[in-house]
Amino acid sequence: MSSLQSDKSNILVNLCKVAAISGIVLYLASVFLFHNPVSEFFPPLRLPFPSSEPDASASPTNISHLMFGILASVKAWRHRKPYTDSWWRPNVTRGYLYFDVAPSGDLLPWSPLSPPPRVSDDITELLKESKHGHPITVRMVHAILELFREEREGVRWYIMGDDDSIFFAENMIDVFGKLDHTKYIYVGCNSESLKSNVDFSFNMGFGGGGFALSYPLAEALSKDLENCFKRYPYLWSADQLTMACIDDIGVSLTVNKGIHQIDLHSDLSGFLSSHPQVPLLSLHHFDLVDPIFPKMNRAESAYHLSKAADVDQSRLLQQTICYYKQNNWSFSVSWGYSAHIYESVIPRTTLKKPLETFKPWVRNTRPPLFIFNTRWVTNDPCEAPHVFFFDSIQKRSVNEVVTSYVRAAPRGLSACSSNHSADYVTRITVFSSATKLDEYGRSECCDIVHVDGEDVAEVKFRACMKDEIIA
Ligand SMILES: *[C@@H]1O[C@H](CO)[C@@H](O)[C@H](O)[C@H]1NC(C)=O
Ligand SMILES: *[C@@H]1O[C@H](CO)[C@@H](O)[C@H](O)[C@H]1NC(C)=O
Ligand SMILES: *[C@@H]1O[C@H](CO)[C@@H](O)[C@H](O)[C@H]1NC(C)=O
Ligand SMILES: *[C@@H]1O[C@H](CO)[C@@H](O)[C@H](O)[C@H]1NC(C)=O
C-alpha cells in the first residue's frame, strides 16, 4: 500500500470511527430520551468493521474454492458414473460422493477418476429425536452438514447436487466469483416445469441441478440443521426442507438461469439450442431425457459435450444468431452443441424461444407447462430448421477455436423458396475466439462466409460493434 493510500484509509477509518461513535451517542441518547422503540427513528447500527480478513477473500475465485457434495446411490452408480466422471477432474475438483450404502463388489477398488466416496451418516437417532418422518429427505439434507464438517479450509462455496447431473465448474468459478462469498448467499434455480414450481416453490433451488451456499451460509445452516429437522418434521421434499431451513436464517434464493433441473422429458435439443444468455452451470436428469446427441448413448453424450466444455465453457450452449442475406437464411448456433439453418429471415426474438421438441415433466397436465416461452415444432419449410449437431473441436491457433457441426438427418421438406434450399449443406464450421466470453447480457455477433453450392457453411464469431443491429 502506498503512503498516500494508507493516509487515505487512515482518514477513512477515522471518519468511520467518528460516524460510529456519533451513531452510538445518538442511539444511546434516543434510548434514554424516548420510551418509544427507537428502531422506528434510527436504522440499525452498521459497525464499520469488515467481518473477515480482506486479503484471503479478495483473491480471485478458483477451482479450489469450490466444494462439491454429490448425492449418489450405489444401485444407480454403475451407469451414472460416466456423467460425473465426464466433468470431474481428479485431484483438482474438491468434493465427495455421499452414498446410501458403502460401495462394494465390482465398484472396488474405487476408481481414481471419480470423486472420493463417503457413506451418509447413520441418522437413526436423529430421526427419533427430530420425529422427522422421511429418512431419505433427512439423509439428503444432512449431507450439507457432512460436507461442511469434512472440509472447510479455503472453501468459499459448497455446491450440492445429484449424481445424474453434469456440472460446469469453470463457469461456476466465473459466476460465483462475481458474488461476495463472505455474505450469506443461496444460489439455485427454479424448475422448468410450471407445475413443479407451483407444487414445491418458486423460491427454492431445485437440488438435482445443484445449489450453492456461500461459506457463512453453509456454516449457519450446519449449526442449525438438526434443530431445523425438528421444526419441519412433515416436509418430505429435501429441497423444500433445505429452503425452509435457509428461510429461517433470513436468506432468499438468488436465481441463476444457468442451473438446469431439467424437469423435462424426451428430446432436449430445442431447449439446449436456445439457452438463456448466461453461463451454463449444470444439466440434471441426464438419465430421464433422450441422449442429447443423436447416435450416441447417454455416457457418450456426456463425454462428447465435455470435449467442447474442456476448451471453452464460457461459450458452451451460448446462442449466436446471424443472417445470410443473399439467400435469406438465418443461422442460430448453440456453441458446442448444435447449429440450425432456417431458409428465411426469422427475428432473433423468435429464435431465442426454444423449439418445443421436449415433453412436459408431468404428462397430461394442462398448459401453460413451462416457465419460459416456446415455439411449436412445425413442417413449414420456412420455419423448420435444418439441424446440425456438434461433431468436433480444434484449437487452430492461440486465438482461434474451430467447432464443427454435422447434419443429423435430411430435413425431408421442400424448400422455402424454390431456389434457396439449404439441403446441400452437410456441415457448419464455426470460428470463435480462444478468449473467454465475459459479457453475458449481450451475445456475440457473427458473419456467414459461405459460397453458394458448397456443402460446408462457415460462420465466424466476432464481438458486436457499438450500436450494431442484427436483423
Ligand atoms: C486458489 O487461490 C488460493 C488463494 O485464495 C491459492 O492459495 C490457491 O493456490 C489457488 N488454487 C489454485 C488451484 O489456483
Ligand atoms: C491424485 O493424487 C494422488 C496423490 O498425490 C496420486 O497418487 C494419484 O495418482 C493422483 N490421481 C490422478 C488421477 O492423477
Ligand atoms: C428475401 O426476402 C425478401 C422479403 O421476403 C424478398 O423481397 C427477397 O426477394 C428475398 N431475397 C432472396 C434472395 O430470396
Ligand atoms: C428464385 O425463384 C423465383 C421463383 O420461385 C424466381 O422468380 C427468382 O427469379 C429466382 N431467383 C434467383 C436468384 O434465381
Side-chain angles (χ1 to χ4, degrees), residues 55-65 92 154 156:
D55 337 342
S57 56
S59 70
T61 297
N62 65 43
I63 189 72
S64 58
H65 296 123
V92 175
R156 294 183 182 181

Side-chain angles (χ1 to χ4, degrees), residues 127 130-138 232-236:
L127 288 172
S130 64
K131 302 199 167 55
H132 204 290
H134 307 278
I136 295 173
T137 307
V138 171
Y232 303 103
Y234 49 88
L235 286 182
W236 59 267

Side-chain angles (χ1 to χ4, degrees), residues 61-69 87-88 92-95 147 151 153-159 168-174 176-177 212:
T61 297
N62 65 43
I63 189 72
S64 58
H65 296 123
L66 309 186
M67 178 64 71
F68 289 89
W87 66 271
W88 185 262
V92 175
T93 324
R94 297 174 69 184
L147 182 67
E151 270 191 59
E153 185 68 34
V155 180
R156 294 183 182 181
W157 298 95
Y158 289 89
I159 299 144
F168 300 89
E170 284 299 318
N171 279 343
M172 286 184 175
I173 294 168
D174 295 339
F176 298 156

Side-chain angles (χ1 to χ4, degrees), residues 417-420:
S417 138
S418 59
N419 40 17
H420 291 303

Side-chain angles (χ1 to χ4, degrees), residues 324-329 344-345 417 419-420:
Y324 187 54
K325 287 291 166 62
Q326 285 99 311
N327 283 11
N328 275 350
W329 289 355
S344 63
V345 173
S417 138
N419 40 17
H420 291 303

